[in-house]
Amino acid sequence: MASRYRSDVQGLRAVAVLVVIAAHAGVPFLPGGFVGVDVFFVVSGFLISGLLFREMRRGETVSLTAFWSRRARRILPAATLVTALTVLASVAWMSLIDAREVVVDAVWATLFAANVRFADQGDYFFAQDGPPSPMQHYWSLAVEEQFYVVWPVLLVVCALAVRLVTRSDERRLPERTLAVVLVALTAASFAWSVAGTAGDSGSAYYSTLGRAWELGAGALAALAAPRLRKRMPALAVPLLGAGGLLAVGLACVLYSSATAFPGWAALLPVLGTVALLLAGIRPGPRHDPVRALLTWRPVRVLGDWSYSLYLWHWPALILAEEWALRPLTGAERALVLLVVLSLAALTFRFVETPFRQGLPPRLLVAPRPLLLYPLSLAVVAASCVGGWQWIEARTGQGDVPAIAVADPAGADSTVALVRASVNAARDRMAVPSELDPNLLTLRDSVADVGACDYEEDVQELCLRGDPDGERTVVVTGDSHARAWIPAVERIAVENGWRAYYLVKPQCPAAHVPVAPLNERRVFTECTGFQDWVVDQVEALQPDLTIVSSSPPVNGVWIDGELAATIERVAPVLEEGYDELFDELHAASERVLLIKDVPKSGIDPGECLTTGTPSLGDCMFQPVERAEILGDVAVKSALLADAEVVDPTPWLCYQGECPVVIGGTLSYRDTDHLTTEYSELLAGSLGRATGMTD
């Protein structure tokens, strides 16, 4: 039954953590190894709920304090150790801008809210657009602990409600009522997961509401285990075990980062884990290969270490790459994992085991284990405060002035400052001490879209600029168009233009079918937005429509296939721009394309906050692919008699682009202007577009 020691469950934990580590380490034949986390959820729901059910079946009152004390001893010591050391290693090896984010992530992780943090940031676990946080794997721990704050309370309330309704003093487990409640809650959570995955798989991945059904499935298995143990035929044991292991294995092999997950796809590993758990509730035939595997001593030992293995493996892999300043080879990853294995063994022996067994006794006699949480907060807070102070001290050191030109006045002042900045970078000048925006907040330099955030599929107009203006300008495109809002808004306010910013991130202006970032589906929301934009332009009849857009991030859909090569994308992209410019010309007095800004191959924030770089270390030459596809838009615009403004001279000189122009950071990442530099370009853009009086 669920209450007895299950050596096969320890083996199942080992399988779960090994496939997770294999997937994160890039083992090619296990791309879906991330489902090991789902296995952990089911196992946790089975074991923890089984413990609570056992207490209630004996007629005991569930002690919430004792329950949470056990959780504290089990979870907090190892998690606190790994969190504190991860913060210190991040500060030492990562760029300051990334290390600062890790400090913040550590705070969220310690508050058991890491899943909320990463969902709010839109950080999909499989995202490839930037370095992941070494704290990102704490999302699953947050989901579990949020569940276990609510679940035992709900169990107690359910028992009390039954006693009140039946007017009975019986304290035993109300199994039928609890089964109905569990089935209802599990089904509701699963429905939430399916709906959330279909709408926003990034947020759904981290959602406690969308993951609770997996723990609920384990709880249902624990509730049914005593009855099934008496009725299950012995021959069913190996069949359940083999089927369950096959289901989990198929998910590991067939799933990948492109799989919409959790949703329907999570059923396979979840039901497989339930089958494995039920296969172990009674003895089976003497020769059961699945049980033999799961109870094999080396596998059980790895199961004992599974929690520490999970905690250590992710930061070790991420920070090793940061230390090496390049992706790790297969041999190097294997070496890192050997170190992780050693760390896990030591953590289990000297941290997990003593605390779980109640040592030192003066501290850990219940209910005092709850003191572990404030102590954990104190330890992590100390590491975070120390790391933060170190980061602040390293930022803006020295007294290096901003780059300047002798005579900044005139129409070519921006170009002159760019040239001076390129020359300063060529001369290996140190980074100016005072930069705008501050380096540590660089990634927050995102243009304000006002009340209409079209990323959220809003379909309404928000008037900006000068509400009393006699002329109207519409800006449309993706996040690159959004980056021009500060410049256009300043021009519009100062020169009497009514302005509308119809911009949607990841949705190019060209009428082409694309995929959302990190998803392999048609971005239907983008297609709908493109059509809506044309309708609004036709209704507004603006004096000027400005188009700005990057090439499709994930390529374009061609005959049901997502194509990304220049040779396949360029013709489709040209057709999409031809259609766009024809439609805009019919509704606008003037149509103007701002050519896409040059793209960097390195992140300026990381470059400027790693080691002691000069300006020359971070100056870049434009990425060729982006340049070629950017010229496709220019060609289409010119053929359609649209005007073209090329911002390259405001950003680059002689094929080289500085990331610091004067005292301003020009890019917040590899291809988006900062709001501060965009606003500085208002004068140049106003003259180039004819918007300035």
Side-chain angles (χ1 to χ4, degrees):
M1 57 186 292
S3 60
R4 66 186 177 87
Y5 175 77
R6 293 279 299 272
S7 57
D8 61 312
V9 171
Q10 290 304 92
L12 186 54
R13 282 173 163 160
V15 171
V17 77
L18 288 176
V19 296
V20 168
I21 293 173
H24 291 166
V27 175
F29 57 85
L30 288 174
F34 55 84
V35 302
V37 173
D38 305 84
V39 174
F40 276 126
F41 283 156
V42 179
V43 170
S44 179
F46 180 83
L47 293 178
I48 302 302
S49 299
L51 178 65
L52 294 170
F53 297 157
R54 185 172 72 252
E55 291 179 358
M56 297 185 74
R57 285 191 178 104
R58 291 198 301 254
E60 299 174 3
T61 300
V62 172
S63 170
L64 297 179
T65 302
F67 175 82
W68 289 325
S69 295
R70 289 193 298 268
R71 293 299 296 170
R73 287 200 301 267
R74 175 73 177 93
I75 297 297
L76 289 176
T80 302
L81 172 68
V82 176
T83 299
L85 292 180
T86 298
V87 168
L88 297 178
S90 299
V91 171
W93 294 339
M94 299 184 80
S95 70
L96 298 182
I97 196 169
D98 287 327
R100 178 178 179 270
E101 291 300 306
V102 173
V103 170
V104 177
D105 294 343
V107 173
W108 283 85
T110 306
L111 296 174
F112 295 114
N115 61 326
V116 178
R117 157 80 168 170
F118 295 121
D120 183 64
Q121 288 187 315
D123 288 345
Y124 194 32
F125 205 90
F126 309 110
Q128 301 297 320
D129 55 329
S133 169
M135 303 296 302
Q136 200 165 359
H137 65 318
Y138 275 74
W139 75 268
S140 60
L141 191 59
V143 167
E144 276 205 35
E145 297 318 302
Q146 290 164 21
F147 180 85
Y148 288 127
V149 167
V150 176
W151 172 229
V153 175
L154 183 62
L155 189 60
V156 170
V157 169
C158 184
L160 288 174
V162 171
R163 287 171 58 194
L164 288 173
V165 170
T166 60
R167 297 183 179 182
S168 170
D169 292 331
E170 179 64 53
R171 294 178 178 271
R172 293 188 182 277
L173 181 70
E175 295 197 27
R176 291 185 179 179
T177 302
L178 190 58
V180 172
V181 172
L182 256 178
V183 168
L185 293 177
T186 301
S189 172
F190 178 68
W192 183 287
S193 175
V194 171
T197 302
D200 182 0
S201 59
S203 296
Y205 193 87
Y206 297 115
S207 171
T208 301
L209 292 176
R211 293 286 191 164
W213 70 276
E214 300 180 16
L215 291 115
L220 281 169
L223 187 63
R227 294 178 182 272
L228 290 176
R229 184 172 185 268
K230 298 175 183 178
R231 301 175 181 178
M232 183 186 299
L235 289 177
V237 171
L239 293 177
L240 275 174
L245 192 61
L246 177 62
V248 173
L250 285 174
C252 293
V253 173
L254 299 179
Y255 291 177
S256 70
S257 60
T259 304
F261 202 86
W264 289 102
L267 275 174
L268 185 61
V270 167
L271 294 180
T273 306
V274 169
L276 283 163
L277 290 170
L278 293 179
I281 62 177
R282 62 152 295 167
R286 184 173 181 181
H287 300 292
D288 184 345
V290 173
R291 183 170 294 186
L293 170 66
L294 296 181
T295 57
W296 187 34
R297 179 171 174 76
V299 175
R300 284 191 288 113
V301 169
L302 289 176
D304 292 339
W305 299 351
S306 60
Y307 179 55
S308 290
L309 281 168
Y310 183 77
L311 289 176
W312 281 114
H313 85 280
W314 181 257
L317 288 169
I318 299 302
L319 292 172
E321 287 199 347
E322 292 294 327
W323 178 77
L325 298 177
R326 58 172 174 78
L328 300 179
T329 65
E332 289 169 337
R333 286 196 187 96
L335 181 60
V336 169
L337 294 181
L338 286 176
V339 174
V340 166
L341 190 66
S342 301
L343 288 172
L346 292 171
T347 304
F348 176 77
R349 172 65 179 83
F350 296 107
V351 179
E352 283 193 67
T353 301
F355 278 88
R356 191 169 60 249
Q357 292 178 349
L359 301 173
R362 289 186 179 181
L363 175 65
L364 296 178
V365 175
R368 291 185 181 179
L370 291 178
L371 293 174
L372 280 173
Y373 189 54
L375 288 173
S376 171
L377 287 175
V379 171
V380 174
S383 65
C384 289
V385 169
W388 191 278
Q389 290 180 340
W390 172 257
I391 292 167
E392 293 285 347
R394 289 284 310 278
T395 306
Q397 288 182 330
D399 188 22
V400 182
I403 305 157
V405 292
D407 182 13
D412 294 328
S413 60
T414 301
V415 175
L417 188 57
V418 170
R419 291 179 179 178
S421 299
V422 169
N423 289 329
R426 289 171 175 172
D427 292 338
R428 316 294 294 181
M429 174 180 164
V431 179
S433 305
E434 298 293 333
L435 292 173
D436 189 27
N438 184 286
L439 265 173
L440 296 182
T441 60
L442 176 59
R443 289 177 181 161
D444 298 327
S445 183
V446 181
D448 178 22
V449 292
C452 288
D453 186 353
Y454 298 111
E455 186 173 9
E456 303 298 329
D457 292 328
V458 174
Q459 289 200 348
E460 61 181 277
L461 292 174
C462 291
L463 177 61
R464 302 273 299 274
D466 181 357
D468 299 320
E470 297 180 356
R471 294 168 292 181
T472 301
V473 60
V474 171
V475 177
T476 186
D478 58 8
S479 58
H480 287 210
R482 177 175 178 168
W484 286 108
I485 289 178
V488 177
E489 181 70 5
R490 181 173 175 181
I491 297 167
V493 170
E494 294 178 354
N495 296 275
W497 287 78
R498 295 159 54 90
Y500 296 92
Y501 305 117
L502 311 184
V503 297
K504 185 178 182 68
Q506 302 179 42
C507 183
H511 291 180
V512 292
V514 297
L517 189 64
N518 303 311
E519 297 185 55
R520 200 171 184 85
R521 66 176 177 87
V522 177
F523 195 0
T524 53
E525 301 93 324
C526 174
T527 305
F529 180 75
Q530 292 168 342
D531 294 338
W532 180 80
V533 167
V534 173
D535 291 341
Q536 302 316 301
V537 173
E538 290 177 350
L540 290 168
Q541 294 289 304
D543 299 275
L544 174 63
T545 299
I546 296 176
V547 176
S548 177
S549 185
S550 66
V553 177
N554 286 354
V556 297
W557 289 101
I558 303 175
D559 298 329
E561 179 186 358
L562 194 58
T565 62
I566 293 175
E567 294 75 18
R568 299 193 67 189
V569 170
V572 177
L573 190 61
E574 184 173 354
E575 291 178 8
Y577 272 117
D578 289 345
E579 180 181 334
L580 170 71
F581 287 126
D582 286 344
E583 292 176 336
L584 294 182
H585 260 304
S588 305
E589 184 175 328
R590 294 170 56 209
V591 178
L592 182 146
L593 171 74
I594 300 179
K595 183 183 176 182
D596 195 26
V597 297
K599 181 175 182 176
S600 171
I602 58 173
D603 185 288
E606 290 186 27
C607 181
L608 291 169
T609 59
T610 302
T612 54
S614 70
L615 291 174
D617 293 323
C618 302
M619 186 161 63
F620 68 90
Q621 295 180 342
V623 173
E624 183 180 21
R625 181 181 187 277
E627 289 286 288
I628 293 172
L629 294 179
D631 287 337
V632 170
V634 172
K635 175 186 175 183
S636 181
L638 294 174
L639 290 174
D641 292 326
E643 303 167 50
V644 176
V645 170
D646 184 358
T648 304
W650 307 333
L651 296 161
C652 308
Y653 173 60
Q654 293 182 340
E656 294 183 297
C657 310
V659 296
V660 176
I661 298 176
T664 305
L665 290 159
S666 53
Y667 283 77
R668 68 175 171 87
D669 54 22
T670 59
D671 56 349
H672 291 91
L673 298 180
T674 61
T675 60
E676 291 77 6
Y677 192 65
S678 175
E679 187 172 0
L680 287 179
L681 293 178
S684 299
L685 184 65
R687 290 186 290 271
T689 59
M691 292 179 65
T692 303
D693 292 333

